[in-house]
Amino acid sequence: MNHPYIPVLAFFAVALAVPIGALTLARVWMTFFTPIKRSKDKGELYECGVKPLAERQVRFHSQYYLFGLLFLLFDVETVFLLPFAVAFLKLSVGAFLVAMIFLLLLAEGLLWAWSKGLLNWRGPAKPNLTIYGD
Amino acid sequence: MAIDPKLADELKSQGVHVTSFEQLINWGRSSSLWPLQFGLACCAIEMIAATMAKYDMARFGAEVFRPSPRQADLMLVAGTVTKKMAPQVVRLYNQMAEPKYVIAMGACAISGGPFKDGYNVLKGIDRYIPVDIVIPGCPPRPEALLEGLLKLREKIANEKLLGKNRARHADPNGAASFPVPEYGPHDLNPPVNREVWNPPTIVREAGGGDA
């Protein structure tokens, strides 16, 4: 009985019993005392009281994902360019070149995406994307 | 079933608390009223003041203003309800989970107030949804709002959950939602929900009075 982990076990049991007890009580309460009242308005989408304009589940075209990735490119670029710009006058030529190579890599990626037609958003467009050479 | 209140008081003075399931549940419900977070006009400023440090609505467990009707118990209609706004207010009320209560705060929410003669002002939100507590004033001071809240707590504490005279939310036949009015060419359609709003008709006697 004097196992050092007994209090932990007791703690675990209480932590389990409290939510399960509360949920069970809520369920019992619902069954016996509160009749379920469904209505069209209650199940409706919440748009600050206005009648919902759109469907419940909005679908994004998968092309949006590529746009998101390209945005990330600029995002990362900004994060690295800011300290680069702050420390610009103290940098050696080597560091400058490294930063330029980094920029070149990012710009190259953008140009590649651009040339593949990823930036043309024309509805459900089919970008001329061939990966892994197929 | 019910314990004599005098006996309960006597037991309480001896350190024994006697309660019923209903009382316990009602005590819990009345002590944790979560209002829906919205304000319509100047009364909302007083409502905000009531939640701040000086008046501190949190003392009564009603400070958690919810931005979603799914989590709210109390609708504080604080301000002028225009006819443009009325359908939204009614829809929000319909979207709230049971049990739900309405406080009409200020002259406008009660009757249209100083704008009663305006073509675009609803003459009282009680035309569409059942109002539990009305707080007069233009606008009512935060103390008045707190008083209204306490009155609502009293009302909830005395609600019956079973039996013939039970509260609306506990009654399977109680209305679940109220028709949302739509914009018509001249007025809201319908202009009033007769199931909720039935004022006594004023009968004037012909030739009565001295004038």
Side-chain angles (χ1 to χ4, degrees), chain A residues 29 33 35 37 39 41-42 44-46 49-51, chain B residues 25 67 69-70 91 94-95 161-162 168 171 174 180:
Chain A
W29 174 252
F33 298 101
K37 296 191 176 183
S39 71
D41 275 341
K42 206 183 267 181
E44 196 90 85
L45 207 62
Y46 168 57
V50 181
K51 213 169 191 171
Chain B
I25 289 293
R70 322 283 188 210
R91 193 173 287 115
N94 283 344
Q95 286 181 339
L161 299 174
L162 289 171
R168 183 186 56 78
D171 187 358
V180 179

mmCIF file with all atom_site columns, all heavy atoms in Angstrom, chain A residues 29 33 35 37 39 41-42 44-46 49-51, chain B residues 25 67 69-70 91 94-95 161-162 168 171 174 180:
data_model
loop_
_atom_site.group_PDB
_atom_site.id
_atom_site.type_symbol
_atom_site.label_atom_id
_atom_site.label_alt_id
_atom_site.label_comp_id
_atom_site.label_asym_id
_atom_site.label_entity_id
_atom_site.label_seq_id
_atom_site.pdbx_PDB_ins_code
_atom_site.Cartn_x
_atom_site.Cartn_y
_atom_site.Cartn_z
_atom_site.occupancy
_atom_site.B_iso_or_equiv
_atom_site.pdbx_formal_charge
_atom_site.auth_seq_id
_atom_site.auth_comp_id
_atom_site.auth_asym_id
_atom_site.auth_atom_id
_atom_site.pdbx_PDB_model_num
ATOM 1   N N   . TRP A 1 29  ? -29.830 14.471 -16.746 1.00 0.00 ? 29  TRP A N   1
ATOM 2   C CA  . TRP A 1 29  ? -30.618 15.692 -16.635 1.00 0.00 ? 29  TRP A CA  1
ATOM 3   C C   . TRP A 1 29  ? -31.390 15.952 -17.915 1.00 0.00 ? 29  TRP A C   1
ATOM 4   O O   . TRP A 1 29  ? -32.571 16.264 -17.922 1.00 0.00 ? 29  TRP A O   1
ATOM 5   C CB  . TRP A 1 29  ? -29.674 16.852 -16.331 1.00 0.00 ? 29  TRP A CB  1
ATOM 6   C CG  . TRP A 1 29  ? -30.344 18.178 -16.337 1.00 0.00 ? 29  TRP A CG  1
ATOM 7   C CD1 . TRP A 1 29  ? -30.225 19.148 -17.268 1.00 0.00 ? 29  TRP A CD1 1
ATOM 8   C CD2 . TRP A 1 29  ? -31.255 18.666 -15.359 1.00 0.00 ? 29  TRP A CD2 1
ATOM 9   N NE1 . TRP A 1 29  ? -31.008 20.209 -16.945 1.00 0.00 ? 29  TRP A NE1 1
ATOM 10  C CE2 . TRP A 1 29  ? -31.650 19.941 -15.779 1.00 0.00 ? 29  TRP A CE2 1
ATOM 11  C CE3 . TRP A 1 29  ? -31.774 18.143 -14.185 1.00 0.00 ? 29  TRP A CE3 1
ATOM 12  C CZ2 . TRP A 1 29  ? -32.549 20.703 -15.056 1.00 0.00 ? 29  TRP A CZ2 1
ATOM 13  C CZ3 . TRP A 1 29  ? -32.675 18.914 -13.470 1.00 0.00 ? 29  TRP A CZ3 1
ATOM 14  C CH2 . TRP A 1 29  ? -33.050 20.176 -13.906 1.00 0.00 ? 29  TRP A CH2 1
ATOM 15  N N   . PHE A 1 33  ? -35.433 15.869 -17.573 1.00 0.00 ? 33  PHE A N   1
ATOM 16  C CA  . PHE A 1 33  ? -35.977 17.166 -17.200 1.00 0.00 ? 33  PHE A CA  1
ATOM 17  C C   . PHE A 1 33  ? -36.032 18.184 -18.332 1.00 0.00 ? 33  PHE A C   1
ATOM 18  O O   . PHE A 1 33  ? -36.808 19.108 -18.284 1.00 0.00 ? 33  PHE A O   1
ATOM 19  C CB  . PHE A 1 33  ? -35.177 17.766 -16.042 1.00 0.00 ? 33  PHE A CB  1
ATOM 20  C CG  . PHE A 1 33  ? -35.223 16.935 -14.813 1.00 0.00 ? 33  PHE A CG  1
ATOM 21  C CD1 . PHE A 1 33  ? -34.167 16.114 -14.462 1.00 0.00 ? 33  PHE A CD1 1
ATOM 22  C CD2 . PHE A 1 33  ? -36.338 16.946 -14.015 1.00 0.00 ? 33  PHE A CD2 1
ATOM 23  C CE1 . PHE A 1 33  ? -34.217 15.337 -13.336 1.00 0.00 ? 33  PHE A CE1 1
ATOM 24  C CE2 . PHE A 1 33  ? -36.405 16.174 -12.880 1.00 0.00 ? 33  PHE A CE2 1
ATOM 25  C CZ  . PHE A 1 33  ? -35.339 15.357 -12.536 1.00 0.00 ? 33  PHE A CZ  1
ATOM 26  N N   . PRO A 1 35  ? -36.668 18.610 -22.174 1.00 0.00 ? 35  PRO A N   1
ATOM 27  C CA  . PRO A 1 35  ? -36.970 18.068 -23.499 1.00 0.00 ? 35  PRO A CA  1
ATOM 28  C C   . PRO A 1 35  ? -36.126 18.742 -24.572 1.00 0.00 ? 35  PRO A C   1
ATOM 29  O O   . PRO A 1 35  ? -35.867 19.945 -24.511 1.00 0.00 ? 35  PRO A O   1
ATOM 30  C CB  . PRO A 1 35  ? -38.460 18.396 -23.680 1.00 0.00 ? 35  PRO A CB  1
ATOM 31  C CG  . PRO A 1 35  ? -38.741 19.489 -22.712 1.00 0.00 ? 35  PRO A CG  1
ATOM 32  C CD  . PRO A 1 35  ? -37.792 19.325 -21.583 1.00 0.00 ? 35  PRO A CD  1
ATOM 33  N N   . LYS A 1 37  ? -35.290 20.496 -27.796 1.00 0.00 ? 37  LYS A N   1
ATOM 34  C CA  . LYS A 1 37  ? -36.072 21.364 -28.678 1.00 0.00 ? 37  LYS A CA  1
ATOM 35  C C   . LYS A 1 37  ? -35.224 21.747 -29.871 1.00 0.00 ? 37  LYS A C   1
ATOM 36  O O   . LYS A 1 37  ? -34.360 22.619 -29.780 1.00 0.00 ? 37  LYS A O   1
ATOM 37  C CB  . LYS A 1 37  ? -36.526 22.605 -27.914 1.00 0.00 ? 37  LYS A CB  1
ATOM 38  C CG  . LYS A 1 37  ? -37.460 22.244 -26.801 1.00 0.00 ? 37  LYS A CG  1
ATOM 39  C CD  . LYS A 1 37  ? -38.124 23.434 -26.210 1.00 0.00 ? 37  LYS A CD  1
ATOM 40  C CE  . LYS A 1 37  ? -39.118 22.959 -25.174 1.00 0.00 ? 37  LYS A CE  1
ATOM 41  N NZ  . LYS A 1 37  ? -39.871 24.040 -24.600 1.00 0.00 ? 37  LYS A NZ  1
ATOM 42  N N   . SER A 1 39  ? -34.945 23.218 -33.715 1.00 0.00 ? 39  SER A N   1
ATOM 43  C CA  . SER A 1 39  ? -35.664 24.061 -34.667 1.00 0.00 ? 39  SER A CA  1
ATOM 44  C C   . SER A 1 39  ? -34.704 24.397 -35.792 1.00 0.00 ? 39  SER A C   1
ATOM 45  O O   . SER A 1 39  ? -33.493 24.212 -35.672 1.00 0.00 ? 39  SER A O   1
ATOM 46  C CB  . SER A 1 39  ? -36.186 25.330 -33.993 1.00 0.00 ? 39  SER A CB  1
ATOM 47  O OG  . SER A 1 39  ? -35.117 26.191 -33.690 1.00 0.00 ? 39  SER A OG  1
ATOM 48  N N   . ASP A 1 41  ? -33.923 27.282 -37.019 1.00 0.00 ? 41  ASP A N   1
ATOM 49  C CA  . ASP A 1 41  ? -33.018 28.396 -36.712 1.00 0.00 ? 41  ASP A CA  1
ATOM 50  C C   . ASP A 1 41  ? -31.868 27.952 -35.822 1.00 0.00 ? 41  ASP A C   1
ATOM 51  O O   . ASP A 1 41  ? -30.744 28.407 -35.967 1.00 0.00 ? 41  ASP A O   1
ATOM 52  C CB  . ASP A 1 41  ? -33.788 29.515 -36.006 1.00 0.00 ? 41  ASP A CB  1
ATOM 53  C CG  . ASP A 1 41  ? -34.453 30.437 -37.004 1.00 0.00 ? 41  ASP A CG  1
ATOM 54  O OD1 . ASP A 1 41  ? -34.033 30.421 -38.163 1.00 0.00 ? 41  ASP A OD1 1
ATOM 55  O OD2 . ASP A 1 41  ? -35.389 31.149 -36.622 1.00 0.00 ? 41  ASP A OD2 1
ATOM 56  N N   . LYS A 1 42  ? -32.181 27.035 -34.885 1.00 0.00 ? 42  LYS A N   1
ATOM 57  C CA  . LYS A 1 42  ? -31.158 26.655 -33.918 1.00 0.00 ? 42  LYS A CA  1
ATOM 58  C C   . LYS A 1 42  ? -30.042 25.871 -34.584 1.00 0.00 ? 42  LYS A C   1
ATOM 59  O O   . LYS A 1 42  ? -28.884 25.982 -34.216 1.00 0.00 ? 42  LYS A O   1
ATOM 60  C CB  . LYS A 1 42  ? -31.790 25.840 -32.803 1.00 0.00 ? 42  LYS A CB  1
ATOM 61  C CG  . LYS A 1 42  ? -31.041 25.928 -31.508 1.00 0.00 ? 42  LYS A CG  1
ATOM 62  C CD  . LYS A 1 42  ? -31.657 25.051 -30.466 1.00 0.00 ? 42  LYS A CD  1
ATOM 63  C CE  . LYS A 1 42  ? -32.652 25.790 -29.628 1.00 0.00 ? 42  LYS A CE  1
ATOM 64  N NZ  . LYS A 1 42  ? -33.244 24.938 -28.600 1.00 0.00 ? 42  LYS A NZ  1
ATOM 65  N N   . GLU A 1 44  ? -29.166 26.294 -37.571 1.00 0.00 ? 44  GLU A N   1
ATOM 66  C CA  . GLU A 1 44  ? -28.615 27.110 -38.659 1.00 0.00 ? 44  GLU A CA  1
ATOM 67  C C   . GLU A 1 44  ? -27.200 27.565 -38.331 1.00 0.00 ? 44  GLU A C   1
ATOM 68  O O   . GLU A 1 44  ? -26.793 27.606 -37.183 1.00 0.00 ? 44  GLU A O   1
ATOM 69  C CB  . GLU A 1 44  ? -29.518 28.323 -38.843 1.00 0.00 ? 44  GLU A CB  1
ATOM 70  C CG  . GLU A 1 44  ? -29.346 29.076 -40.124 1.00 0.00 ? 44  GLU A CG  1
ATOM 71  C CD  . GLU A 1 44  ? -30.231 28.553 -41.227 1.00 0.00 ? 44  GLU A CD  1
ATOM 72  O OE1 . GLU A 1 44  ? -31.393 28.966 -41.323 1.00 0.00 ? 44  GLU A OE1 1
ATOM 73  O OE2 . GLU A 1 44  ? -29.737 27.714 -41.998 1.00 0.00 ? 44  GLU A OE2 1
ATOM 74  N N   . LEU A 1 45  ? -26.501 27.906 -39.375 1.00 0.00 ? 45  LEU A N   1
ATOM 75  C CA  . LEU A 1 45  ? -25.175 28.492 -39.237 1.00 0.00 ? 45  LEU A CA  1
ATOM 76  C C   . LEU A 1 45  ? -25.291 29.824 -38.490 1.00 0.00 ? 45  LEU A C   1
ATOM 77  O O   . LEU A 1 45  ? -26.247 30.550 -38.691 1.00 0.00 ? 45  LEU A O   1
ATOM 78  C CB  . LEU A 1 45  ? -24.627 28.737 -40.639 1.00 0.00 ? 45  LEU A CB  1
ATOM 79  C CG  . LEU A 1 45  ? -23.138 28.748 -40.863 1.00 0.00 ? 45  LEU A CG  1
ATOM 80  C CD1 . LEU A 1 45  ? -22.580 27.398 -40.512 1.00 0.00 ? 45  LEU A CD1 1
ATOM 81  C CD2 . LEU A 1 45  ? -22.859 29.041 -42.321 1.00 0.00 ? 45  LEU A CD2 1
ATOM 82  N N   . TYR A 1 46  ? -24.324 30.111 -37.636 1.00 0.00 ? 46  TYR A N   1
ATOM 83  C CA  . TYR A 1 46  ? -24.368 31.375 -36.901 1.00 0.00 ? 46  TYR A CA  1
ATOM 84  C C   . TYR A 1 46  ? -23.610 32.448 -37.665 1.00 0.00 ? 46  TYR A C   1
ATOM 85  O O   . TYR A 1 46  ? -22.403 32.361 -37.831 1.00 0.00 ? 46  TYR A O   1
ATOM 86  C CB  . TYR A 1 46  ? -23.759 31.187 -35.507 1.00 0.00 ? 46  TYR A CB  1
ATOM 87  C CG  . TYR A 1 46  ? -23.502 32.481 -34.782 1.00 0.00 ? 46  TYR A CG  1
ATOM 88  C CD1 . TYR A 1 46  ? -24.544 33.378 -34.561 1.00 0.00 ? 46  TYR A CD1 1
ATOM 89  C CD2 . TYR A 1 46  ? -22.250 32.810 -34.318 1.00 0.00 ? 46  TYR A CD2 1
ATOM 90  C CE1 . TYR A 1 46  ? -24.321 34.561 -33.896 1.00 0.00 ? 46  TYR A CE1 1
ATOM 91  C CE2 . TYR A 1 46  ? -22.017 33.987 -33.649 1.00 0.00 ? 46  TYR A CE2 1
ATOM 92  C CZ  . TYR A 1 46  ? -23.058 34.854 -33.445 1.00 0.00 ? 46  TYR A CZ  1
ATOM 93  O OH  . TYR A 1 46  ? -22.822 36.019 -32.783 1.00 0.00 ? 46  TYR A OH  1
ATOM 94  N N   . GLY A 1 49  ? -26.671 36.474 -36.505 1.00 0.00 ? 49  GLY A N   1
ATOM 95  C CA  . GLY A 1 49  ? -28.102 36.712 -36.580 1.00 0.00 ? 49  GLY A CA  1
ATOM 96  C C   . GLY A 1 49  ? -28.617 36.892 -37.996 1.00 0.00 ? 49  GLY A C   1
ATOM 97  O O   . GLY A 1 49  ? -29.807 36.804 -38.231 1.00 0.00 ? 49  GLY A O   1
ATOM 98  N N   . VAL A 1 50  ? -27.709 37.152 -38.919 1.00 0.00 ? 50  VAL A N   1
ATOM 99  C CA  . VAL A 1 50  ? -28.138 37.316 -40.309 1.00 0.00 ? 50  VAL A CA  1
ATOM 100 C C   . VAL A 1 50  ? -28.370 35.937 -40.906 1.00 0.00 ? 50  VAL A C   1
ATOM 101 O O   . VAL A 1 50  ? -27.731 34.959 -40.517 1.00 0.00 ? 50  VAL A O   1
ATOM 102 C CB  . VAL A 1 50  ? -27.064 38.087 -41.107 1.00 0.00 ? 50  VAL A CB  1
ATOM 103 C CG1 . VAL A 1 50  ? -27.498 38.285 -42.540 1.00 0.00 ? 50  VAL A CG1 1
ATOM 104 C CG2 . VAL A 1 50  ? -26.801 39.414 -40.453 1.00 0.00 ? 50  VAL A CG2 1
ATOM 105 N N   . LYS A 1 51  ? -29.293 35.868 -41.844 1.00 0.00 ? 51  LYS A N   1
ATOM 106 C CA  . LYS A 1 51  ? -29.550 34.602 -42.516 1.00 0.00 ? 51  LYS A CA  1
ATOM 107 C C   . LYS A 1 51  ? -28.277 34.195 -43.257 1.00 0.00 ? 51  LYS A C   1
ATOM 108 O O   . LYS A 1 51  ? -27.712 34.995 -43.995 1.00 0.00 ? 51  LYS A O   1
ATOM 109 C CB  . LYS A 1 51  ? -30.689 34.777 -43.516 1.00 0.00 ? 51  LYS A CB  1
ATOM 110 C CG  . LYS A 1 51  ? -31.533 33.539 -43.657 1.00 0.00 ? 51  LYS A CG  1
ATOM 111 C CD  . LYS A 1 51  ? -32.792 33.872 -44.439 1.00 0.00 ? 51  LYS A CD  1
ATOM 112 C CE  . LYS A 1 51  ? -33.759 32.710 -44.342 1.00 0.00 ? 51  LYS A CE  1
ATOM 113 N NZ  . LYS A 1 51  ? -35.063 33.056 -44.890 1.00 0.00 ? 51  LYS A NZ  1
ATOM 114 N N   . ILE B 2 25  ? -30.648 22.833 -8.547  1.00 0.00 ? 25  ILE B N   1
ATOM 115 C CA  . ILE B 2 25  ? -30.419 23.076 -9.972  1.00 0.00 ? 25  ILE B CA  1
ATOM 116 C C   . ILE B 2 25  ? -30.701 24.539 -10.312 1.00 0.00 ? 25  ILE B C   1
ATOM 117 O O   . ILE B 2 25  ? -29.928 25.200 -11.008 1.00 0.00 ? 25  ILE B O   1
ATOM 118 C CB  . ILE B 2 25  ? -31.313 22.135 -10.811 1.00 0.00 ? 25  ILE B CB  1
ATOM 119 C CG1 . ILE B 2 25  ? -30.812 20.698 -10.712 1.00 0.00 ? 25  ILE B CG1 1
ATOM 120 C CG2 . ILE B 2 25  ? -31.361 22.584 -12.259 1.00 0.00 ? 25  ILE B CG2 1
ATOM 121 C CD1 . ILE B 2 25  ? -29.483 20.448 -11.345 1.00 0.00 ? 25  ILE B CD1 1
ATOM 122 N N   . PRO B 2 67  ? -19.812 35.454 -27.187 1.00 0.00 ? 67  PRO B N   1
ATOM 123 C CA  . PRO B 2 67  ? -19.958 35.937 -28.565 1.00 0.00 ? 67  PRO B CA  1
ATOM 124 C C   . PRO B 2 67  ? -20.758 34.984 -29.450 1.00 0.00 ? 67  PRO B C   1
ATOM 125 O O   . PRO B 2 67  ? -20.903 35.241 -30.631 1.00 0.00 ? 67  PRO B O   1
ATOM 126 C CB  . PRO B 2 67  ? -18.508 36.047 -29.039 1.00 0.00 ? 67  PRO B CB  1
ATOM 127 C CG  . PRO B 2 67  ? -17.771 35.060 -28.225 1.00 0.00 ? 67  PRO B CG  1
ATOM 128 C CD  . PRO B 2 67  ? -18.475 34.925 -26.912 1.00 0.00 ? 67  PRO B CD  1
ATOM 129 N N   . PRO B 2 69  ? -24.442 32.616 -29.675 1.00 0.00 ? 69  PRO B N   1
ATOM 130 C CA  . PRO B 2 69  ? -25.703 32.304 -28.992 1.00 0.00 ? 69  PRO B CA  1
ATOM 131 C C   . PRO B 2 69  ? -25.762 30.879 -28.474 1.00 0.00 ? 69  PRO B C   1
ATOM 132 O O   . PRO B 2 69  ? -26.557 30.584 -27.601 1.00 0.00 ? 69  PRO B O   1
ATOM 133 C CB  . PRO B 2 69  ? -26.752 32.535 -30.075 1.00 0.00 ? 69  PRO B CB  1
ATOM 134 C CG  . PRO B 2 69  ? -26.025 32.421 -31.350 1.00 0.00 ? 69  PRO B CG  1
ATOM 135 C CD  . PRO B 2 69  ? -24.645 32.895 -31.091 1.00 0.00 ? 69  PRO B CD  1
ATOM 136 N N   . ARG B 2 70  ? -24.899 30.012 -28.978 1.00 0.00 ? 70  ARG B N   1
ATOM 137 C CA  . ARG B 2 70  ? -24.943 28.620 -28.514 1.00 0.00 ? 70  ARG B CA  1
ATOM 138 C C   . ARG B 2 70  ? -24.551 28.497 -27.054 1.00 0.00 ? 70  ARG B C   1
ATOM 139 O O   . ARG B 2 70  ? -24.868 27.511 -26.402 1.00 0.00 ? 70  ARG B O   1
ATOM 140 C CB  . ARG B 2 70  ? -23.984 27.749 -29.329 1.00 0.00 ? 70  ARG B CB  1
ATOM 141 C CG  . ARG B 2 70  ? -23.899 28.068 -30.773 1.00 0.00 ? 70  ARG B CG  1
ATOM 142 C CD  . ARG B 2 70  ? -25.066 27.547 -31.542 1.00 0.00 ? 70  ARG B CD  1
ATOM 143 N NE  . ARG B 2 70  ? -24.847 27.720 -32.961 1.00 0.00 ? 70  ARG B NE  1
ATOM 144 C CZ  . ARG B 2 70  ? -25.800 27.899 -33.848 1.00 0.00 ? 70  ARG B CZ  1
ATOM 145 N NH1 . ARG B 2 70  ? -27.056 27.934 -33.450 1.00 0.00 ? 70  ARG B NH1 1
ATOM 146 N NH2 . ARG B 2 70  ? -25.541 28.051 -35.114 1.00 0.00 ? 70  ARG B NH2 1
ATOM 147 N N   . ARG B 2 91  ? -33.794 35.997 -34.566 1.00 0.00 ? 91  ARG B N   1
ATOM 148 C CA  . ARG B 2 91  ? -33.061 34.812 -35.014 1.00 0.00 ? 91  ARG B CA  1
ATOM 149 C C   . ARG B 2 91  ? -32.000 34.419 -33.994 1.00 0.00 ? 91  ARG B C   1
ATOM 150 O O   . ARG B 2 91  ? -31.808 33.241 -33.695 1.00 0.00 ? 91  ARG B O   1
ATOM 151 C CB  . ARG B 2 91  ? -32.421 35.056 -36.384 1.00 0.00 ? 91  ARG B CB  1
ATOM 152 C CG  . ARG B 2 91  ? -31.927 33.762 -37.021 1.00 0.00 ? 91  ARG B CG  1
ATOM 153 C CD  . ARG B 2 91  ? -31.437 33.957 -38.438 1.00 0.00 ? 91  ARG B CD  1
ATOM 154 N NE  . ARG B 2 91  ? -32.514 34.180 -39.382 1.00 0.00 ? 91  ARG B NE  1
ATOM 155 C CZ  . ARG B 2 91  ? -32.696 35.315 -40.062 1.00 0.00 ? 91  ARG B CZ  1
ATOM 156 N NH1 . ARG B 2 91  ? -31.870 36.323 -39.883 1.00 0.00 ? 91  ARG B NH1 1
ATOM 157 N NH2 . ARG B 2 91  ? -33.686 35.433 -40.895 1.00 0.00 ? 91  ARG B NH2 1
ATOM 158 N N   . ASN B 2 94  ? -33.648 32.642 -31.294 1.00 0.00 ? 94  ASN B N   1
ATOM 159 C CA  . ASN B 2 94  ? -33.958 31.262 -31.697 1.00 0.00 ? 94  ASN B CA  1
ATOM 160 C C   . ASN B 2 94  ? -32.729 30.375 -31.664 1.00 0.00 ? 94  ASN B C   1
ATOM 161 O O   . ASN B 2 94  ? -32.830 29.173 -31.441 1.00 0.00 ? 94  ASN B O   1
ATOM 162 C CB  . ASN B 2 94  ? -34.541 31.256 -33.114 1.00 0.00 ? 94  ASN B CB  1
ATOM 163 C CG  . ASN B 2 94  ? -35.977 31.710 -33.124 1.00 0.00 ? 94  ASN B CG  1
ATOM 164 O OD1 . ASN B 2 94  ? -36.622 31.753 -32.094 1.00 0.00 ? 94  ASN B OD1 1
ATOM 165 N ND2 . ASN B 2 94  ? -36.464 32.060 -34.295 1.00 0.00 ? 94  ASN B ND2 1
ATOM 166 N N   . GLN B 2 95  ? -31.579 30.966 -31.927 1.00 0.00 ? 95  GLN B N   1
ATOM 167 C CA  . GLN B 2 95  ? -30.361 30.163 -31.990 1.00 0.00 ? 95  GLN B CA  1
ATOM 168 C C   . GLN B 2 95  ? -29.781 29.860 -30.615 1.00 0.00 ? 95  GLN B C   1
ATOM 169 O O   . GLN B 2 95  ? -28.905 29.014 -30.483 1.00 0.00 ? 95  GLN B O   1
ATOM 170 C CB  . GLN B 2 95  ? -29.305 30.873 -32.842 1.00 0.00 ? 95  GLN B CB  1
ATOM 171 C CG  . GLN B 2 95  ? -29.624 30.806 -34.317 1.00 0.00 ? 95  GLN B CG  1
ATOM 172 C CD  . GLN B 2 95  ? -28.593 31.484 -35.172 1.00 0.00 ? 95  GLN B CD  1
ATOM 173 O OE1 . GLN B 2 95  ? -27.838 32.320 -34.701 1.00 0.00 ? 95  GLN B OE1 1
ATOM 174 N NE2 . GLN B 2 95  ? -28.564 31.135 -36.434 1.00 0.00 ? 95  GLN B NE2 1
ATOM 175 N N   . LEU B 2 161 ? -39.534 22.860 -12.494 1.00 0.00 ? 161 LEU B N   1
ATOM 176 C CA  . LEU B 2 161 ? -38.961 22.081 -13.588 1.00 0.00 ? 161 LEU B CA  1
ATOM 177 C C   . LEU B 2 161 ? -39.815 20.873 -13.937 1.00 0.00 ? 161 LEU B C   1
ATOM 178 O O   . LEU B 2 161 ? -39.634 20.257 -14.980 1.00 0.00 ? 161 LEU B O   1
ATOM 179 C CB  . LEU B 2 161 ? -37.556 21.618 -13.206 1.00 0.00 ? 161 LEU B CB  1
ATOM 180 C CG  . LEU B 2 161 ? -36.590 22.758 -12.925 1.00 0.00 ? 161 LEU B CG  1
ATOM 181 C CD1 . LEU B 2 161 ? -35.273 22.221 -12.424 1.00 0.00 ? 161 LEU B CD1 1
ATOM 182 C CD2 . LEU B 2 161 ? -36.375 23.594 -14.169 1.00 0.00 ? 161 LEU B CD2 1
ATOM 183 N N   . LEU B 2 162 ? -40.721 20.514 -13.037 1.00 0.00 ? 162 LEU B N   1
ATOM 184 C CA  . LEU B 2 162 ? -41.606 19.382 -13.298 1.00 0.00 ? 162 LEU B CA  1
ATOM 185 C C   . LEU B 2 162 ? -43.034 19.798 -12.965 1.00 0.00 ? 162 LEU B C   1
ATOM 186 O O   . LEU B 2 162 ? -43.255 20.797 -12.291 1.00 0.00 ? 162 LEU B O   1
ATOM 187 C CB  . LEU B 2 162 ? -41.202 18.177 -12.443 1.00 0.00 ? 162 LEU B CB  1
ATOM 188 C CG  . LEU B 2 162 ? -39.897 17.469 -12.821 1.00 0.00 ? 162 LEU B CG  1
ATOM 189 C CD1 . LEU B 2 162 ? -39.542 16.456 -11.756 1.00 0.00 ? 162 LEU B CD1 1
ATOM 190 C CD2 . LEU B 2 162 ? -40.010 16.792 -14.164 1.00 0.00 ? 162 LEU B CD2 1
ATOM 191 N N   . ARG B 2 168 ? -41.124 27.182 -19.359 1.00 0.00 ? 168 ARG B N   1
ATOM 192 C CA  . ARG B 2 168 ? -41.302 26.914 -20.779 1.00 0.00 ? 168 ARG B CA  1
ATOM 193 C C   . ARG B 2 168 ? -40.268 25.926 -21.325 1.00 0.00 ? 168 ARG B C   1
ATOM 194 O O   . ARG B 2 168 ? -40.592 25.020 -22.085 1.00 0.00 ? 168 ARG B O   1
ATOM 195 C CB  . ARG B 2 168 ? -41.205 28.228 -21.573 1.00 0.00 ? 168 ARG B CB  1
ATOM 196 C CG  . ARG B 2 168 ? -41.450 28.084 -23.062 1.00 0.00 ? 168 ARG B CG  1
ATOM 197 C CD  . ARG B 2 168 ? -41.191 29.389 -23.771 1.00 0.00 ? 168 ARG B CD  1
ATOM 198 N NE  . ARG B 2 168 ? -39.830 29.888 -23.520 1.00 0.00 ? 168 ARG B NE  1
ATOM 199 C CZ  . ARG B 2 168 ? -38.760 29.416 -24.122 1.00 0.00 ? 168 ARG B CZ  1
ATOM 200 N NH1 . ARG B 2 168 ? -38.862 28.496 -25.018 1.00 0.00 ? 168 ARG B NH1 1
ATOM 201 N NH2 . ARG B 2 168 ? -37.572 29.899 -23.828 1.00 0.00 ? 168 ARG B NH2 1
ATOM 202 N N   . ASP B 2 171 ? -40.981 22.346 -20.504 1.00 0.00 ? 171 ASP B N   1
ATOM 203 C CA  . ASP B 2 171 ? -42.246 21.836 -21.001 1.00 0.00 ? 171 ASP B CA  1
ATOM 204 C C   . ASP B 2 171 ? -42.062 21.338 -22.439 1.00 0.00 ? 171 ASP B C   1
ATOM 205 O O   . ASP B 2 171 ? -41.647 22.102 -23.302 1.00 0.00 ? 171 ASP B O   1
ATOM 206 C CB  . ASP B 2 171 ? -43.276 22.982 -20.960 1.00 0.00 ? 171 ASP B CB  1
ATOM 207 C CG  . ASP B 2 171 ? -44.666 22.485 -21.312 1.00 0.00 ? 171 ASP B CG  1
ATOM 208 O OD1 . ASP B 2 171 ? -44.799 21.288 -21.614 1.00 0.00 ? 171 ASP B OD1 1
ATOM 209 O OD2 . ASP B 2 171 ? -45.599 23.306 -21.286 1.00 0.00 ? 171 ASP B OD2 1
ATOM 210 N N   . GLY B 2 174 ? -43.720 23.545 -24.819 1.00 0.00 ? 174 GLY B N   1
ATOM 211 C CA  . GLY B 2 174 ? -43.334 24.949 -24.861 1.00 0.00 ? 174 GLY B CA  1
ATOM 212 C C   . GLY B 2 174 ? -42.680 25.280 -26.191 1.00 0.00 ? 174 GLY B C   1
ATOM 213 O O   . GLY B 2 174 ? -42.007 24.450 -26.787 1.00 0.00 ? 174 GLY B O   1
ATOM 214 N N   . VAL B 2 180 ? -39.398 34.331 -37.270 1.00 0.00 ? 180 VAL B N   1
ATOM 215 C CA  . VAL B 2 180 ? -38.561 35.488 -37.556 1.00 0.00 ? 180 VAL B CA  1
ATOM 216 C C   . VAL B 2 180 ? -39.298 36.366 -38.557 1.00 0.00 ? 180 VAL B C   1
ATOM 217 O O   . VAL B 2 180 ? -39.684 35.898 -39.623 1.00 0.00 ? 180 VAL B O   1
ATOM 218 C CB  . VAL B 2 180 ? -37.216 35.040 -38.150 1.00 0.00 ? 180 VAL B CB  1
ATOM 219 C CG1 . VAL B 2 180 ? -36.357 36.248 -38.470 1.00 0.00 ? 180 VAL B CG1 1
ATOM 220 C CG2 . VAL B 2 180 ? -36.495 34.119 -37.189 1.00 0.00 ? 180 VAL B CG2 1
#
